[in-house]
Each structure stands twice: as structure tokens, then as C-alpha cells.
Amino acid sequence: MTALGALLEELPDDLARQAFTHSSWVERRADSYERLAFLGDVVLSLAISTHLYPRFEDFGAGRLTKLRAQAVSRQACAEVARELGVPERLRAAAPEGQGRSAEALIASDRVLASVCESVIGAAYLAWDFERVAPAVVEAFADQIAEALEHPVDFKSVLQERLARRAEVVIYGIESEDGPPHDRSFVAVATVGGQELGRGEGKTKKSAEQEAALQALERLDGDSEDIR
């Protein structure tokens, strides 16, 4: 069992119950896992950032951002959730008569990722960052290694996502500053005439990658799944 799994087992009953309660199962949305996931998302990001920062001194902010984003992506969180046994716990937490609803939730990476974050948020409330952070880093070790070995091309991911909606992204360089040996570019990703993301980098390509990453984060924030 991982350290994060051990913390999950030790969670106080009230936090454990909320961490696995979907908003459709309660009258008040605030009683679901969503509030804990909001907190856990921040704790997860800080734990991974604190781990990465001193270990990769040659990485600039852009590369660190991409590495962290991939390591804590929805898919990465869903993978960790499965390792923690979240599907089984969600199934067990479902109110009577919610069997089909529970199975649909378990099949959703978005839901599993949110519950993973809610578990981290609950653990943070129960103890503190110093105890939770190492457990989080251990739980996401494989995801970090995968991100280092196989970096994601965010432009390709964004285009694939938009293709399902019959949309196309257009990149434009909004500005470039600095002397020739130290240029800085700002790229904008536009879809249907609307700005979806912008990014800055030392090359046009890296700026476009940053813009694509921001666009993906915005799409994830705006998208609706099972609620």
C-alpha cells in the first residue's frame, strides 16, 4: 500500500464520507467531494511543484509547467485513483438505488480524477502539508517519470480534442521582445475567432505549446461531464 493509500485508510469518518460523495447523491452540493477536490487540486500542484523545483535546476518555468501539468493531468489523477481503489470505494458509497449511476461515475476519468483530488484535500485537512506532500509525490512517481520520458505535445492533444467538435485552432505570434540572442515570444491560440489560450516562450514553438496547454486547461474547466 502506498503512503497516500495509508492516509486514506486513516481518514476521519466524516472526511472519508465526503471524499466519496457525488453531488447527485446529496441535497447540498457543498456536501459532495467537490469542495475537497478544489482544495486537493492546490495541494497536489504545490506538492509536485515543490518536488520538481530543486531536482531540475536547468528547467525553465515553461518546461516545469508542462512537466507538472502532464504529471497531474486528469488521466494521471484517474490512474492514481484506480491504484487507491477509488472505483470500489465509490461503488460502496453509492446510496441504495444508485447502482447504475455509480457505475457511470466509475467509468468517468473526470470523476475519478476529482475524487483523487478530494482524497488529497481531505488528507491535508486531517493532517498537514508536511505529512501529505511526500505521500502525494510517491503516489504520482510513475506519472512524473512518464512525463519526463514521454513529454506530451500539447498542440497535438488540443487539435485532437477540437477535431471532435469540428473546430480548428489557429496560432498567432502576438509579440516578440528582447535582443536577437534572448528573444521572448507571446503566442495566442484562437478557436472560432475567440482567444482560448496564450503562452510565452523563448521560441515561437514553445510559446505555442504554452498557449495550447492553457487552452486545454480552459477546455477542461469549461467542459461538463457527469454531474
Side-chain angles (χ1 to χ4, degrees):
M1 179 185 295
T2 65
L4 186 58
L7 291 181
L8 172 56
E9 293 290 339
E10 298 174 27
L11 280 178
D13 290 343
D14 58 337
L15 286 174
R17 183 168 50 254
Q18 184 176 356
F20 291 93
T21 297
H22 191 261
S23 59
S24 66
W25 298 345
V26 287
E27 292 184 6
R28 290 198 328 142
R29 201 179 188 105
D31 293 329
S32 72
Y33 60 65
E34 293 179 0
R35 280 172 56 84
L36 290 175
F38 163 78
L39 183 60
D41 174 59
V42 178
V43 176
L44 170 60
S45 181
L46 181 58
I48 299 302
S49 298
T50 303
H51 172 73
L52 296 177
Y53 186 83
R55 285 165 176 76
F56 301 100
E57 295 182 353
D58 295 335
F59 285 18
R63 192 171 179 187
L64 285 171
T65 298
K66 292 192 193 75
L67 175 58
R68 182 188 62 198
Q70 185 175 343
V72 302
S73 67
R74 178 189 297 179
Q75 181 181 351
C77 287
E79 290 170 357
V80 172
R82 293 187 184 96
E83 293 168 3
L84 291 172
V86 165
E88 294 76 15
R89 288 177 177 271
L90 267 177
R91 190 176 288 116
E96 187 175 350
Q98 293 286 340
R100 292 182 63 184
S101 169
E103 292 305 317
L105 297 175
I106 290 166
S108 167
D109 276 1
R110 181 183 181 87
V111 170
L112 293 181
S114 292
V115 176
C116 177
E117 292 172 344
S118 76
V119 168
I120 294 171
Y124 171 77
L125 289 178
W127 297 287
D128 55 34
F129 183 76
E130 296 304 317
R131 182 175 178 187
V132 173
V136 168
V137 171
E138 179 198 30
F140 281 81
D142 288 345
Q143 285 69 28
I144 295 171
E146 175 68 17
L148 283 167
E149 189 171 350
H150 303 290
V152 166
D153 179 358
F154 292 109
K155 289 178 65 175
S156 295
V157 174
L158 176 60
Q159 187 53 59
E160 289 173 10
R161 181 87 64 86
L162 292 172
R164 299 173 199 156
R165 299 157 46 166
E167 294 178 322
V168 178
V169 59
I170 298 174
Y171 296 95
I173 300 301
E174 185 178 77
S175 65
E176 48 184 283
D177 298 299
H181 66 280
D182 189 23
R183 302 294 279 171
S184 178
F185 300 87
V186 173
V188 177
T190 304
V191 178
Q194 178 183 359
E195 180 181 317
L196 203 61
R198 61 172 50 225
E200 184 175 351
K202 292 299 183 181
T203 66
K204 292 179 181 180
K205 183 177 292 187
S206 64
E208 289 174 353
Q209 283 286 339
E210 286 294 313
L213 171 59
Q214 188 180 102
L216 283 166
E217 291 174 342
R218 181 170 177 182
L219 286 175
D220 283 342
D222 292 344
S223 65
E224 288 295 328
D225 200 17
I226 299 174
R227 287 286 180 180

